[in-house]
């Protein structure tokens, strides 16, 4: 929690204008990290991008092939729809949870936060498989619903996008709860009292004062979840079906089944470009840094 | 207050607190308070922290629900009215501005919650910005303002919707002394100009004196003194108020007859007090500036005016404080007295010298009941 908040504050101060001489004072200390990133991240990334335009023959044929293929545009649509839906649902679920963690007495809040963190630290595969157990046609949920007579035949909740959305939402909730809870606990409760004495009913106070003050946490959490969802592989691969693929599955399929490195690289490059574009939009939409309200306290 | 006041000014009472109580478990924060706040007055709740003044204010604002009792505004109960429907303005100790809105939007916020045309809103916000002299800062965020400016925004935000009552919870506590005094003057002028009812909470008695028409002194959840600063200071209703407000000397005397008492074997003249029996312990209170200390020679040259008392004492310490001179003296019986002199009357007196201490009987206050703990400063908190 503390670590998260300090990084947020750091970005806030670095955003402010500083003297030019000060700006590069600490630069030499960046070197080890830069060398590491250059060797193990940038170099392979450039290699990947080059593959997209060099294999099998130099040119933009891979991209042409991608855009000509309607299956690919469907994959792209699936990816964005799932990522958007996952972000929205996790926001709706994480907001009350973060609020509860902030409001309940100290010890209980920490216990709740512990549960959130624990679920995050548990193996991703184990958690995804347990959803498979829960959601499949002969799974617990279907059996219970059928026993109570709510449904006549099992719901198809797995091996399709529904399963993907359910599984991924569960996995993404902590990534919204953590920044949101940090933002909420930094809000001065007296500001909400001020809102109500000014004449704001509880509802209006919530939408006009509380939500705007939570905005930095909502934005950073939602962005993190959306971007992570775009590139998520394990959960869609296990809970999704062969019919409705997401982009990472498509890339893996191109590499593993068709050994089509060129198309896979082109698809990956597109994913990176889209992510960067979204990040730019986020920065534009969010004039104040994520820590703005936290520091204004 | 009482029947007489009500008959003279029938519409004068705006807020009535009746037998108000607030308990937190076993702890009694507010203990059976009854108080009437007049329309248009500047009333201050004065007390040390934990004396119940802020809790009372919170109940008035609606953030706390009374355990029992009644709050009436213009005759109708506020108990079940939520804060946002009370039509009360409030200024908080740490300003509590909306950090995501600029100055103008902060002031406009209460108006956006009310049915009002945009033009009317603009007009009111402009008037408020002018009133608190922040026109040039209208587009700044609260974080970009100094403490004094933030507090002025908070005042503007509380006044812009013209509430019936303005509550202020130690609004100047976080500011430095000079700025605090400037804002105190501004507040007093603002109150005079707008004629709004202000209930102000502070632990700073000088601030209470400077601002308010009436002061309610809180101690252990009760109001132990109510009146103008002048009355409370000159004739405190009890020993606690005497000790809490300003500086005071306490002499333990024994009542002899209706208007006389004895102190360490010396006979004193007092104002006549009914209901005292001879031999009863009485506490006599003297303000330091009401006492004169004269050297033995000077005392011989100046006759004791009628209605004055004189006792002998020894000077322990003299402290020069610029505008005044403070002299600590000890009586033969060991009672310490502080004498404050504005003139040069004490110039010839040296520490260790014998002096004659004089005061007019009319300047002393007598109490037949008191709690020894009340006589020390800082009493009143739980």
């Amino acid at each position: 929690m503390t670590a998260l908040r300090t990084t947020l504050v750091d970005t806030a101060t670095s955003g402010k204008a500083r003297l030019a001489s000060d700006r590069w004072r600490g630069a030499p200390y960046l070197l080890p990290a830069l060398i590491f990133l250059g060797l193990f991240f940038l170099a392979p990334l450039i290699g990947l991008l080059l593959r997209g335009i060099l294999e099998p023959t130099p040119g933009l044929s891979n991209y042409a092939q991608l855009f000509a293929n309607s299956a690919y545009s469907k994959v792209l649509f699936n990816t964005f729809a799932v990522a958007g839906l996952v972000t929205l649902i996790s926001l709706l679920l994480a907001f009350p949870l973060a609020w509860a963690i902030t409001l309940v007495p100290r010890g209980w809040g920490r216990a709740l936060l512990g549960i959130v963190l624990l679920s995050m630290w548990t193996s991703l595969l184990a958690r995804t498989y347990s959803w498979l157990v829960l959601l499949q046609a002969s799974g617990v949920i279907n059996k219970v619903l059928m026993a109570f007579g709510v449904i006549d035949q099992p719901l198809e909740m797995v091996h399709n996008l529904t399963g993907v959305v359910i599984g991924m939402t569960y996995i993404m909730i902590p990534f919204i709860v953590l920044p949101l809870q940090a933002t909420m606990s930094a809000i001065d409760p007296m500001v909400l009292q001020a809102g109500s004495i000014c004449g704001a009913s509880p509802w209006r106070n919530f939408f006009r004062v509380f939500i705007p003050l939570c905005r930095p946490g909502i934005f950073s959490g939602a962005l993190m979840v959306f971007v992570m969802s775009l590139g998520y592989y394990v959960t869609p691969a296990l809970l999704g079906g062969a019919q409705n693929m997401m982009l990472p599955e498509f890339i893996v399929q191109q590499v593993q089944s068709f050994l089509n490195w060129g198309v896979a690289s082109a698809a990956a490059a597109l994913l990176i470009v889209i992510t960067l574009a979204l990040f730019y939009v986020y920065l534009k939409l969010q004039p104040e840094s994520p820590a703005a309200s936290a520091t204004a306290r | 207050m009482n029947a007489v006041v009500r008959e003279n000014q029938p519409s004068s009472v705006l807020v009535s607190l009746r037998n108000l109580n607030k308990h937190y478990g076993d702890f009694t924060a507010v203990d059976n308070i009854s108080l009437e706040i007049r329309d248009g007055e500047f009333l201050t709740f004065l007390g040390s922290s934990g004396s119940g003044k802020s809790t009372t204010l919170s109940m008035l604002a609606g953030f706390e629900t009374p355990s029992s009792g009644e709050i009436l505004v213009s005759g109708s109960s506020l108990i079940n009215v939520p804060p946002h429907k009370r039509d009360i303005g409030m200024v908080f100790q740490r300003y509590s501005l909306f950090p995501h809105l600029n100055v103008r939007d902060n002031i406009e916020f209460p108006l956006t919650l009310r049915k009002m045309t945009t033009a009317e809103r603009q007009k009111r916000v402009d008037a408020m910005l002018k009133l608190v002299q922040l026109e040039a800062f209208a587009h700044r965020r609260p974080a970009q303002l100094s403490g004094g400016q933030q507090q002025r925004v908070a005042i503007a935000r509380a006044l812009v919707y013209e509430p019936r009552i303005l509550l202020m919870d130690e609004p100047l506590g976080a500011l430095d002394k000079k700025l605090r005094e400037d804002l105190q003057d501004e507040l007093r002028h603002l109150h005079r100009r707008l004629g709004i009812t202000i209930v102000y909470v502070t632990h700073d008695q000088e601030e209470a004196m400077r601002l308010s028409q009436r002061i309610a002194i809180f101690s252990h959840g009760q109001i132990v003194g109510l009146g103008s600063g002048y009355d409370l200071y000159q004739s405190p209703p009890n020993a606690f108020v005497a000790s809490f407000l300003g500086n005071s000397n306490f002499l333990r005397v024994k009542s002899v007859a209706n208007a006389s008492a004895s102190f360490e074997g010396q006979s004193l003249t007092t104002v006549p007090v009914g209901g005292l029996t001879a031999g009863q312990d009485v506490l006599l209170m003297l303000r330091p500036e009401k006492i004169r200390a004269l050297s033995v020679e000077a005392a011989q040259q100046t006759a004791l005016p009628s209605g004055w008392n004189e006792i002998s004492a020894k000077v322990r310490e003299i402290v020069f404080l610029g505008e005044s001179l403070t002299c600590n003296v000890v009586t033969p019986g060991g009672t310490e007295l502080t004498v404050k002199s504005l003139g040069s009357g004490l110039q010839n007196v040296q520490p260790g010298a014998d002096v004659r201490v004089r005061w007019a009987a009319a300047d002393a206050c007598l109490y037949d009941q008191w709690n020894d703990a009340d006589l020390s400063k800082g009493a009143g908190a739980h």
Side-chain angles (χ1 to χ4, degrees):
Chain A
M1 211 68 267
T2 339
L4 189 72
R5 207 177 292 168
T6 24
T7 50
L8 291 179
V9 171
D10 284 346
T11 45
T13 42
S14 68
K16 281 174 191 150
R18 283 195 200 154
L19 291 175
S21 59
D22 278 355
R23 191 172 286 172
W24 296 105
R25 186 177 285 169
Y29 306 116
L30 277 174
L31 220 58
L34 280 180
I35 291 172
F36 184 85
L37 275 178
L39 276 178
F40 297 104
F41 175 66
L42 276 178
L45 188 68
I46 291 167
L48 181 87
L49 294 176
L50 286 178
R51 267 189 171 163
I53 49 172
L54 293 178
E55 285 184 18
T57 51
L60 292 172
S61 62
N62 286 326
Y63 288 91
Q65 196 185 328
L66 271 183
F67 287 116
N69 188 351
S70 70
Y72 178 74
S73 50
K74 197 182 173 204
V75 165
L76 212 56
F77 172 80
N78 282 345
T79 310
F80 277 88
V82 167
L85 218 56
V86 166
T87 308
L88 190 73
I89 300 173
S90 1
L91 252 184
L92 290 177
L93 293 176
F95 193 93
L97 179 55
W99 204 3
I101 292 172
T102 314
L103 287 184
V104 296
R106 262 279 171 264
W108 286 101
R110 214 167 278 167
L112 272 174
L113 204 62
I115 294 173
V116 171
L117 285 173
L118 207 66
S119 86
M120 205 165 90
W121 293 332
T122 313
S123 153
L124 178 67
L125 268 177
R127 287 186 291 159
T128 307
Y129 270 116
S130 32
W131 274 113
L132 203 58
V133 173
L134 285 172
L135 296 175
Q136 64 195 349
S138 58
V140 180
I141 295 175
N142 272 321
K143 276 188 177 161
V144 169
L145 287 179
M146 280 167 78
F148 280 105
V150 182
I151 49 171
D152 296 329
Q153 57 186 48
L155 293 172
E156 284 182 40
M157 291 185 293
V158 82
H159 300 306
N160 55 20
L161 288 183
T162 314
V164 175
V165 170
I166 294 174
M168 274 175 64
T169 301
Y170 162 70
I171 283 157
M172 293 302 173
I173 281 177
F175 295 97
I176 295 191
V177 168
L178 294 181
L180 199 53
Q181 198 270 331
T183 309
M184 282 179 179
S185 62
I187 295 174
D188 181 2
M190 296 298 273
V191 173
L192 297 174
Q193 285 200 344
S196 76
I197 202 81
C198 281
S201 62
W203 272 109
R204 283 199 166 178
N205 215 2
F206 180 81
F207 286 111
R208 301 278 307 269
V209 181
F210 192 63
I211 293 274
L213 291 180
C214 289
R215 213 178 56 183
I218 295 176
F219 262 77
S220 48
L223 179 81
M224 184 146 56
V225 166
F226 190 75
V227 169
M228 278 174 76
S229 301
L230 285 180
Y232 230 60
Y233 173 66
V234 175
T235 309
L238 290 176
L239 296 178
Q243 298 300 312
N244 286 299
M245 256 188 286
M246 284 178 66
L247 193 54
E249 293 171 274
F250 176 82
I251 294 170
V252 170
Q253 192 191 47
Q254 291 298 320
V255 173
Q256 289 186 342
S257 311
F258 308 127
L259 289 176
N260 199 345
W261 280 92
V263 171
S265 302
L270 267 177
L271 185 61
I272 292 170
V273 169
I274 292 165
T275 309
L276 285 178
L278 281 172
F279 192 68
Y280 178 77
V281 170
Y282 162 78
L283 288 179
K284 283 281 145 189
L285 278 179
Q286 173 89 343
E288 65 236 80
S289 71
S293 78
T295 48
R297 199 184 179 190
Chain B
M1 280 321 308
N2 52 47
V4 182
V5 173
R6 245 189 246 167
E7 273 165 31
N8 290 345
Q9 300 157 296
S11 66
S12 69
V13 172
L14 180 64
V15 186
S16 302
L17 309 182
R18 297 204 180 142
N19 306 103
L20 210 56
N21 283 289
K22 180 70 189 179
H23 308 287
Y24 297 104
D26 289 343
F27 176 72
T28 305
V30 172
D31 187 2
N32 204 27
I33 278 180
S34 293
L35 174 70
E36 305 216 310
I37 302 168
R38 298 174 196 149
D39 196 5
E41 86 170 322
F42 198 130
L43 176 72
T44 296
F45 292 173
L46 175 65
S48 39
S49 62
S51 61
K53 55 191 191 324
S54 290
T55 312
T56 309
L57 198 77
S58 285
M59 288 194 280
L60 212 51
F63 300 140
E64 299 275 2
T65 315
S67 305
S68 67
E70 184 63 276
I71 301 171
L72 299 171
V73 173
S74 310
S76 51
S77 172
L78 270 194
I79 298 291
N80 293 317
V81 180
H84 68 276
K85 287 185 181 157
R86 291 199 174 189
D87 195 24
I88 284 176
M90 184 153 177
V91 179
F92 296 83
Q93 186 168 14
R94 283 182 292 125
Y95 326 130
S96 299
L97 300 175
F98 305 120
H100 61 295
L101 301 176
N102 65 26
V103 169
R104 169 171 274 280
D105 293 341
N106 258 288
I107 299 174
E108 199 180 349
F109 180 82
L111 300 181
T112 61
L113 302 165
R114 290 163 169 79
K115 286 199 182 80
M116 198 175 278
T117 63
T118 315
E120 171 72 14
R121 281 209 299 256
Q122 296 297 330
K123 207 181 88 191
R124 287 225 205 164
V125 174
D126 286 336
M128 271 300 143
L129 282 169
K130 191 156 181 269
L131 186 74
V132 295
Q133 295 162 22
L134 284 173
E135 294 116 311
F137 301 92
H139 296 289
R140 294 229 190 146
R141 290 284 175 100
Q144 298 166 305
L145 299 177
S146 71
Q149 290 166 336
Q150 287 189 49
Q151 196 53 287
R152 295 218 294 266
V153 177
I155 292 169
R157 184 183 66 182
L159 288 175
V160 71
Y161 51 101
E162 295 172 0
R164 289 173 294 181
I165 308 157
L166 179 63
L167 308 179
M168 307 184 93
D169 188 5
E170 308 219 12
L172 309 179
L175 306 175
D176 59 59
K177 192 170 184 293
K178 178 79 182 72
L179 193 59
R180 200 158 63 220
E181 285 177 4
D182 288 349
L183 278 174
Q184 282 166 0
D185 289 339
E186 277 183 39
L187 259 179
R188 210 176 43 233
H189 296 150
L190 209 63
H191 173 250
R192 207 173 297 160
R193 222 176 327 159
L194 301 176
I196 187 177
T197 310
I198 298 182
V199 181
Y200 193 97
V201 164
T202 184
H203 63 269
D204 179 347
Q205 47 174 292
E206 198 186 314
E207 185 167 278
M209 294 276 195
R210 198 183 274 260
L211 286 171
S212 28
Q213 291 162 337
R214 283 202 303 161
I215 299 174
I217 297 180
F218 277 68
S219 169
H220 296 95
Q222 293 177 319
I223 295 178
V224 294
L226 177 68
S228 70
Y230 183 86
D231 289 343
L232 286 174
Y233 185 83
Q234 297 296 355
S235 43
N238 50 52
F240 174 82
V241 172
S243 149
F244 183 80
L245 217 55
N247 295 312
S248 43
N249 294 302
F250 291 105
L251 274 61
R252 287 160 204 275
V253 303
K254 271 199 192 320
S255 170
V256 174
N258 187 24
S260 72
S262 73
F263 171 71
E264 293 176 2
Q266 302 181 61
S267 156
L268 301 179
T269 318
T270 66
V271 285
V273 180
L276 290 184
T277 52
Q280 187 181 347
D281 284 327
V282 179
L283 195 67
L284 188 141
M285 192 282 292
L286 281 169
R287 293 292 183 195
E289 68 276 13
K290 299 285 189 192
I291 317 180
R292 306 256 166 83
L294 293 99
S295 61
V296 178
E297 304 86 65
Q300 281 164 351
Q301 284 160 20
T302 328
L304 189 69
S306 74
W308 281 62
N309 291 303
E310 184 181 270
I311 58 173
S312 54
K314 203 182 261 301
V315 177
R316 177 178 278 182
E317 195 179 28
I318 297 180
V319 183
F320 178 64
L321 294 171
E323 59 186 19
S324 68
L325 204 62
T326 298
C327 176
N328 284 316
V329 303
V330 190
T331 65
T335 306
E336 283 184 48
L337 292 177
T338 306
V339 181
K340 191 174 175 184
S341 158
L342 287 177
S344 50
L346 286 166
Q347 254 171 9
N348 303 327
V349 182
Q350 294 300 321
D354 283 324
V355 286
R356 299 281 178 268
V357 175
R358 291 177 172 183
W359 71 90
D363 286 335
C365 297
L366 287 172
Y367 305 105
D368 56 353
Q369 282 180 345
W370 70 92
N371 192 338
D372 277 346
D374 289 349
L375 304 187
S376 60
K377 279 277 168 197
H382 278 283

